Amino acid sequence: MIRGKTITLVIPAHNEEIGLPHVLGQVPEEVDRVIVVDNCSTDATSIVAAEFGCMVVNQPLKGYGHAYQAGFGAVESDLIVTADADGTYPVARITSLVEILLDEQLDFISCSRKPDDHAGNLNNIMRFTGNFVLSAFTMLLYLHYIRDSQSGMWVFHREVLDRVRLTSGGMAFSEELKIEVWSLRDIKRREVDIPFSYSERMGKAKLNLWRDGFRNLIFLFAKRFGIPMTRA
Ligand SMILES: Nc1nc2c(ncn2[C@@H]2O[C@H](COP(=O)(O)OP(=O)(O)OP(=O)(O)O)[C@@H](O)[C@H]2O)c(=O)[nH]1
Ligand SMILES: [Mg+2]
């Protein structure tokens, strides 16, 4: 709890028994509850989460968006923070991010990733390019200035969820949430830079750069022109 506001960290996890202990070991004590959404894992994800005292929510419908929909449905706190289960996001900074949210009386923060490993390997270059293209299309199609449309770390007041309409069950959930938030003029929001390390990803990557990249791009067009596309 910070300044009377209770905090829940929601972590979607599909076979993340390797990364979870690292992430959960860094959660600041101000976080009141951690919800791990076990999304069709076949490893010890749920067991690891329970050992760390987390609330485990099972989501049998596979998909990043489906996982978040289930996790958000179980939140009772004032504030919600999110992060991957793979060790790439700085969960140790949750306290200072919440302080920014409260100090600036913001409703929503999307954390914008500043890679702290500049290794020029092909994977990183493709990620950077893919993210750039998707963020550029988000700006072109929706006229919102969002630098990191694909970031998976958000800090926000739970009531924001009552205001947004989220349809994506997949990786496009991340860009959809930002588009919805940025389109509501009375919601105070901004991006805050965070350090980010791709090389720290623990366990096997779940993201398929080409497949998910194209799906997210198509989703941007579909949502813009009102075409239902729940699978993305
Ligand atoms: N991709 C994917 N991730 C899921 C799914 N369900 C839960 N997750 C979790 O959502 C988080 C994001 O997935 P990642 O594979 O880390 O995707 P990413 O961060 O874009 O890419 P990486 O660089 O590989 O970490 C992880 O904690 C996953 O375990 C799913 O169906 N697909
Ligand atoms: Mg990740």
Side-chain angles (χ1 to χ4, degrees):
M1 187 187 293
I2 297 180
R3 296 185 218 163
K5 301 283 183 195
T6 49
I7 306 165
T8 300
L9 170 63
V10 181
I11 303 176
H14 171 66
N15 288 340
E16 300 283 9
E17 65 179 9
I18 297 171
L20 262 184
H22 176 80
V23 177
L24 297 175
Q26 292 186 57
V27 177
E29 59 182 21
E30 287 85 357
V31 173
D32 300 274
R33 174 179 279 178
V34 180
I35 295 179
V36 172
V37 185
D38 187 345
N39 195 207
C40 311
S41 298
T42 51
D43 68 357
T45 291
S46 284
I47 296 164
V48 172
E51 274 170 9
F52 274 85
C54 304
M55 175 179 176
V56 179
V57 170
N58 282 297
Q59 169 55 287
L61 258 180
K62 176 93 167 49
Y64 178 80
H66 289 136
Y68 268 123
Q69 298 275 15
F72 288 166
V75 174
E76 293 171 346
S77 61
D78 303 305
L79 307 178
I80 301 176
V81 185
T82 62
D84 285 3
D86 57 13
T88 49
Y89 288 93
V91 290
R93 293 203 177 204
I94 289 175
T95 312
S96 59
L97 289 163
V98 169
E99 301 274 4
I100 294 173
L101 186 88
L102 299 177
D103 281 348
E104 299 184 18
Q105 296 178 358
L106 298 167
D107 298 301
F108 189 98
I109 287 174
S110 183
C111 298
S112 174
R113 296 167 290 177
K114 292 275 157 216
D116 58 9
D117 52 343
H118 297 284
N121 66 48
L122 188 62
N123 205 29
N124 279 3
I125 292 167
M126 276 172 55
R127 278 170 185 289
F128 180 81
T129 311
N131 195 9
F132 178 81
V133 169
L134 289 168
S135 298
F137 271 99
T138 305
M139 286 186 222
L140 280 171
L141 289 168
Y142 296 90
L143 304 177
H144 302 315
Y145 180 63
I146 303 171
R147 293 189 303 277
D148 187 0
S149 67
Q150 306 301 307
S151 163
M153 189 171 193
W154 320 306
V155 182
F156 60 98
H157 290 266
R158 182 164 58 101
E159 292 90 71
V160 169
L161 291 175
D162 301 330
R163 305 283 316 281
V164 291
R165 197 174 151 265
L166 301 166
T167 60
S168 168
M171 295 307 280
F173 184 85
S174 173
E175 63 195 23
E176 183 175 39
L177 176 60
K178 277 157 233 149
I179 290 165
E180 286 281 312
V181 166
W182 258 252
S183 68
L184 291 165
R185 297 210 175 274
D186 59 328
I187 289 196
K188 275 190 79 187
R189 79 282 161 162
R190 78 171 177 96
E191 289 185 291
V192 172
D193 287 348
I194 51 160
F196 182 81
S197 182
Y198 285 134
S199 59
E200 294 219 338
R201 209 239 184 266
M202 290 175 203
K204 207 166 156 277
K206 312 298 173 309
L207 178 87
N208 179 318
L209 278 178
W210 285 105
R211 185 200 61 200
D212 290 314
F214 272 113
R215 275 193 194 162
N216 287 8
L217 186 62
I218 291 166
F219 184 88
L220 286 177
F221 280 92
K223 184 175 173 75
R224 177 68 183 78
F225 298 107
I227 303 161
M229 202 185 150
T230 43
R231 278 194 64 239

